[in-house]
Amino acid sequence: MRSRFIGCVLGASIASFTGAALAADAVSDGVVKIGILNDLSGIYSDFTGRGSAVAAQIAIDEMGGKVLGAPIELVAADHQNKPDIAANLAREWFDQGKVDMIADFPTSSTALAVMEIAKQKNRVTMLSAGVAMAAINEKCSALNAQWMVNTYALAAGTAKALLKTGRKSWYFVTADYTFGHSLEKDASAVVEAEGGKVLGVSRHPFPGGDFSSFMLKAQGSGAQVIALANAGSDTINAVKQAAEYGIGRSDKQVIAPLLTYITDVKSLGLAKAQDMYLTEAFYWDYDDRSRAFAEKYFAKMKRMPSASQAAVYSAALNYLKAIQAAGTDEAGAVMAKLRTMTIDDAVIRNGHLRADGALVHDMLLLQVKKPAESKRDWDFYNVRAVLKGEDVFPKPSDACPLNAKG
């Protein structure tokens, strides 16, 4: 009787071990490795940086630290906003580090550089901070997802809202590189399509320092909207220096940052940022699910997550779920599975991943609260509208060969 019991236990143990071994065999190198590649020390470190890695780790923890019986590992590095450094790190990670997926990529030039290498190496990229339209147009890849937003979606929400208030004349202050040009182009297209007019453009070096001459020129144009096609500390410094000259402080002229994170508003303070309109994909205080994720993040970082950091959480979580559902970590199979999934989590709502890599989902039109309206720290926004993905995101472009013709 005892021998029979031992035999049953031994048989069950062998079956369990065999099942785990078979599951691990479905995973290349016996481990799933996620890389976070971003700005750890520079202009974009506040809304990406270490916080992005923390957000990814929360997703890994929610999966129990394993997928298909294999452990999940996380690595992170600083690309210094330079495409050559990003490319070299990616090659090293793919070849020696056996990294399966890389996410984040503030500075679109770094995202586009790594996307090309990932295609060659059959690995996945998920652009949670890279927003240039090229990633879903002429540079699109079946192994890439632009997981949060693109410049068109950002521009469309804010521009349409301001145009509806009668603000028809616009002037752009633009970061002079791929991202800034893309944001300016997309916002200009929306302005002109809705009957508005672009009066002029000033392009500043990236990263910038002194914005006073650009902002004074914008003020002198008489434009009703001074649109900032930049991000991070460039946006913060432009708004601060505009405030020093009283620019954008009247009903006749407003400042509209086209990519603004909650960390930017924190740095500016509500007194300077109040009443600004912006479009975001995530706000921590939107509902119970967003607050639950934000509380986990706050416990580790003592601050609320930016939309970009929240996007890393969502990207990592859904990537791992796709591996589980596909039964393999092979890049093509995982991305094919992702494209069949409805993406609905604490960050992304009503999302689906298109063939070109665009994740289409609901967005939020937000307005910065006045200081007297804020009840506690990080209570910064009034949600003015939920913008449906199909109304905000651009239509699939013929520039991407992955989009079906006809």
Side-chain angles (χ1 to χ4, degrees):
M1 203 54 192
R2 183 171 178 273
S3 298
R4 184 178 176 185
F5 174 75
I6 292 172
C8 289
V9 172
L10 181 59
S13 298
I14 291 171
S16 176
F17 175 79
T18 302
L22 288 173
D25 285 344
V27 172
S28 58
D29 308 305
V31 62
V32 172
K33 191 173 287 190
I34 294 173
I36 304 300
L37 196 54
N38 65 20
D39 181 353
L40 288 172
S41 57
I43 184 173
Y44 296 151
S45 58
D46 200 30
F47 67 82
T48 62
R50 189 173 75 86
S52 292
V54 167
Q57 188 62 54
I58 292 172
I60 292 169
D61 293 344
E62 288 184 5
M63 292 291 293
K66 290 186 177 183
V67 61
L68 296 179
I72 306 165
E73 295 182 2
L74 181 69
V75 295
D78 187 351
H79 64 27
Q80 300 176 45
N81 300 312
K82 297 177 180 178
D84 57 336
I85 292 176
N88 289 334
L89 284 167
R91 286 194 187 94
E92 181 181 335
W93 276 2
F94 290 146
D95 292 340
Q96 281 81 51
K98 308 302 181 184
V99 169
D100 298 289
M101 183 272 278
I102 305 179
D104 218 3
F105 305 108
T107 317
S108 295
S109 55
T110 64
L112 297 174
V114 175
M115 281 175 61
E116 288 301 312
I117 298 166
K119 281 197 292 186
Q120 298 165 15
K121 305 292 185 180
N122 194 40
R123 306 296 169 85
V124 173
T125 49
M126 302 185 81
L127 278 53
S128 40
V131 297
M133 287 287 288
I136 59 169
N137 287 344
E138 67 273 15
K139 299 292 185 180
C140 69
S141 165
L143 301 181
N144 179 67
Q146 193 171 53
W147 198 255
M148 196 55 144
V149 293
N150 52 53
T151 52
Y152 184 93
L154 289 167
T158 305
K160 288 180 179 180
L162 289 173
L163 287 159
K164 285 179 180 178
T165 68
R167 293 180 170 92
K168 299 291 187 179
S169 59
W170 289 57
Y171 190 100
F172 287 87
V173 176
T174 301
D176 194 10
Y177 79 107
T178 305
F179 155 71
H181 297 169
S182 182
L183 190 54
E184 174 199 311
K185 176 184 175 183
D186 294 328
S188 297
V190 173
V191 168
E192 291 170 352
E194 297 289 327
K197 186 177 181 180
V198 177
L199 300 186
V201 177
S202 290
R203 294 194 172 99
H204 65 80
F206 168 74
D210 184 0
F211 290 85
S212 56
S213 62
F214 303 115
M215 298 306 291
L216 287 167
K217 188 174 180 181
Q219 181 187 40
S221 73
Q224 294 167 302
V225 179
I226 300 173
L228 303 181
N230 52 23
S233 60
D234 280 348
T235 298
I236 293 168
N237 289 333
V239 173
K240 284 182 176 178
Q241 290 172 31
E244 292 172 4
Y245 289 95
I247 300 171
R249 311 306 281 179
S250 71
D251 291 338
K252 293 182 179 179
Q253 193 171 60
V254 298
I255 296 174
L258 297 177
L259 176 54
T260 307
Y261 290 99
I262 196 168
T263 47
D264 301 330
V265 176
K266 175 71 171 177
S267 296
L268 284 166
L270 293 182
K272 290 186 175 69
Q274 62 183 303
D275 297 328
M276 291 194 312
Y277 278 91
L278 57 134
T279 301
E280 280 276 38
F282 173 82
Y283 175 41
W284 73 269
D285 202 21
Y286 175 61
D287 65 11
D288 288 343
R289 283 196 290 170
S290 59
R291 284 188 285 272
F293 161 67
E295 286 170 6
K296 292 180 182 180
Y297 184 91
F298 190 90
K300 296 175 181 292
M301 291 293 292
K302 305 308 176 190
R303 61 190 306 177
M304 290 303 177
S306 71
S308 181
Q309 289 157 344
V312 174
Y313 160 81
S314 176
L317 182 67
N318 286 283
Y319 170 73
L320 294 169
K321 287 182 176 179
I323 291 176
Q324 187 73 45
T328 177
D329 68 341
E330 193 278 319
V334 173
M335 294 304 289
K337 180 57 67 175
L338 263 178
R339 286 181 168 86
T340 70
M341 294 165 54
T342 296
I343 309 301
D344 196 82
D345 55 36
V347 176
I348 300 293
R349 307 300 168 85
N350 303 315
H352 66 273
L353 185 63
R354 292 193 323 212
D356 57 11
L359 179 65
V360 178
H361 58 95
D362 293 350
M363 301 276 285
L364 301 174
L365 179 66
L366 306 170
Q367 187 176 24
V368 180
K369 290 183 174 183
K370 299 180 188 299
E373 294 179 287
S374 180
K375 305 304 181 186
R376 60 192 183 280
D377 199 14
W378 299 98
D379 174 26
F380 291 165
Y381 298 141
N382 288 310
V383 178
R384 294 307 185 197
V386 176
L387 309 173
K388 296 300 181 184
E390 56 268 25
D391 297 331
V392 176
F393 281 81
K395 303 301 182 186
S397 169
D398 289 342
C400 173
L402 299 173
N403 290 325
K405 301 293 191 262

